Amino acid sequence: MKYKILLLLFAIIIIVSSILSFVPIDKACKQKQGSCEIVNTSQYESTFGIKNSHLGLTAFLILFILTASQIKKPTKTKKQLIGMGLILGSAYAIYFMIIQFFVLHATCFYCLTADIATIISLIVFFGIKGKIKWKKYPQVQKQQSTKI
């Protein structure tokens, strides 16, 4: 079930990354000089000379294919690759959110959607370990006093 949820989240990220990759920012965000344009034209828009949206699109297409393959024929290697990809992706997502909020003081709806979906994917993949253990206290039975 978690892999199907991951496929849905990856599809959302792929769509958002495609919009950022192939649609001009002024048309995608419907703003001439808004926050979206500030984020997507800043010095942080690319990593190693490659636009972050292209990197995200490529990475999440690979993760989508790996996850679909994991559903059909599960292997430990694919599971580990998906996990490593999500750890790396979430680290980048947190980094990009910090840049948007604290450095640029501007946010991009599409960028935040991809970042939040990435972090949610990490949580879905690893799950929340350790369930709450409720202590069961013996019920105090009312003692009936009998009159003598």
Side-chain angles (χ1 to χ4, degrees):
M1 181 66 171
K2 78 175 176 181
Y3 290 110
K4 290 180 182 179
I5 295 170
L6 287 176
L7 284 179
L8 175 65
L9 290 166
F10 294 163
I12 291 168
I13 298 167
I14 289 167
I15 291 167
V16 168
S17 295
S18 296
I19 291 170
L20 289 171
S21 292
F22 304 116
V23 177
I25 293 302
D26 59 333
K27 290 184 182 182
C29 296
K30 297 181 173 70
Q31 301 173 7
K32 289 290 180 190
Q33 293 180 339
S35 291
C36 205
E37 187 175 2
I38 292 169
V39 172
N40 287 287
T41 57
S42 75
Q43 67 187 32
Y44 304 101
E45 77 169 331
S46 60
T47 303
F48 304 118
I50 303 169
K51 282 184 69 174
N52 293 325
S53 57
H54 295 321
L55 288 172
L57 180 60
T58 303
F60 283 97
L61 278 170
I62 292 168
L63 284 172
F64 186 92
I65 292 166
L66 268 173
T67 303
S69 175
Q70 179 71 357
I71 290 171
K72 291 191 179 222
K73 188 176 178 186
T75 67
K76 185 177 180 180
T77 303
K78 285 186 267 189
K79 182 178 180 180
Q80 290 172 336
L81 287 171
I82 294 166
M84 288 188 300
L86 286 173
I87 291 170
L88 184 62
S90 293
Y92 273 109
I94 291 167
Y95 168 74
F96 291 134
M97 288 172 65
I98 290 170
I99 294 296
Q100 288 180 69
F101 288 114
F102 301 110
V103 176
L104 299 174
H105 302 287
T107 57
C108 167
F109 170 77
Y110 296 110
C111 302
L112 287 177
T113 301
D115 294 340
I116 292 168
T118 301
I119 294 167
I120 292 171
S121 297
L122 180 74
I123 293 167
V124 167
F125 182 76
F126 287 105
I128 298 173
K129 300 289 182 191
K131 297 178 182 174
I132 298 173
K133 295 181 181 177
W134 298 98
K135 290 184 178 180
K136 293 185 178 179
Y137 293 103
Q139 293 181 350
V140 179
Q141 296 178 353
K142 293 184 181 179
Q143 295 179 352
Q144 295 179 346
S145 57
T146 56
K147 292 185 181 181
I148 303 180

